[in-house]
């Protein structure tokens, strides 16, 4: 509620609205402003709703549509005309929905690629918020084995950190 108020716990931060999954097409409005949408019934998605937040109460509206077996998307065994082995169609929000407050510049995702043959690991970062690409943001990366630091470096959005790991062992 207080995201826009100076001095509030979320001042200078971003507020993300996460959906675990919505079947099938989804659009989201906050206080009358379209903040985003998603198409696909099985994947999570996140919307940054910070700029549409207002002090006090906020109104969130989520619209979901699913053409089921009349569309071209995957629909499993659901049908608008259930019979025999076909199930009644369902749609809507079917996974967890939650809010998250993050810093103005934050890590939105990681891409980790181990290479046992070369004894290294590549760690790529996806930064979001606060002009992530323009900031030249870097993220420290540390690899531990049973509590012992075995490799460290820094990753940038345009270049993953490649860390050499001594005595690599598959678990």
């Amino acid at each position: 509620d207080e995201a826009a108020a100076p001095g509030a716990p979320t001042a200078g931060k971003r507020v993300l609205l996460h959906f675990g999954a919505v079947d099938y097409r989804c659009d989201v409005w906050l206080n009358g402003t379209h903040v985003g949408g998603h198409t696909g019934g099985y994947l999570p998605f996140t919307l940054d709703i910070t700029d549409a937040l207002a002090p006090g109460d906020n109104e969130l509206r989520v619209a979901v549509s699913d053409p089921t077996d009349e569309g071209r998307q995957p629909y499993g065994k659901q049908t608008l005309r259930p019979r025999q082995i076909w199930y009644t169609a369902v749609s809507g929000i079917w996974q967890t929905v939650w809010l998250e407050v993050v810093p103005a510049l934050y890590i939105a995702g990681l891409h980790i690629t181990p290479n046992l043959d070369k004894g290294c690991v590549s760690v790529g970062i996806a930064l979001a918020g606060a002009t992530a690409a323009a900031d030249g943001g870097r993220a420290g990366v540390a690899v531990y084995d049973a509590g012992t630091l075995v490799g460290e470096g820094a990753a940038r959005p345009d270049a993953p950190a490649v860390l050499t790991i001594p005595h690599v062992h598959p678990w």
Side-chain angles (χ1 to χ4, degrees):
D1 289 322
E2 301 176 18
T10 56
K13 298 184 179 187
R14 307 301 293 175
V15 179
L16 306 179
L17 177 62
H18 297 278
F19 288 84
V22 176
D23 188 17
Y24 170 71
R25 184 170 293 115
C26 172
D27 280 294
V28 180
W29 292 264
L30 181 62
N31 299 321
T33 299
H34 186 259
V35 292
H38 185 261
T39 300
Y42 304 101
L43 296 174
F45 63 98
T46 300
L47 303 172
D48 184 334
I49 63 169
T50 310
D51 297 336
L53 282 171
D57 292 339
N58 287 268
E59 179 186 27
L60 179 69
R61 186 166 55 116
V62 180
V64 178
S65 64
D66 181 2
T68 308
D69 56 347
E70 293 184 357
R72 296 179 52 96
Q73 82 287 351
Y75 57 87
K77 294 181 76 173
Q78 296 182 44
T79 180
L80 296 175
R81 292 166 293 288
R83 63 199 178 287
Q84 298 170 346
I85 64 166
W86 298 95
Y87 304 129
T88 301
V90 295
S91 68
I93 300 169
W94 68 280
Q95 293 286 328
T96 305
V97 177
W98 72 99
L99 288 172
E100 179 183 19
V101 177
V102 297
L105 178 63
Y106 62 95
I107 296 175
L110 296 172
H111 184 80
I112 302 171
T113 307
N115 187 326
L116 291 174
D117 294 336
K118 292 184 178 180
C120 65
V121 62
S122 171
V123 181
I125 61 169
L127 292 177
T131 60
D135 287 354
R138 297 168 59 99
V141 178
V143 177
Y144 290 86
D145 182 7
T148 301
L149 181 66
V150 295
E152 64 182 325
R156 297 187 325 264
D158 61 340
V162 179
L163 310 174
T164 300
I165 309 297
H167 314 295
V168 170
H169 55 87
W171 66 93

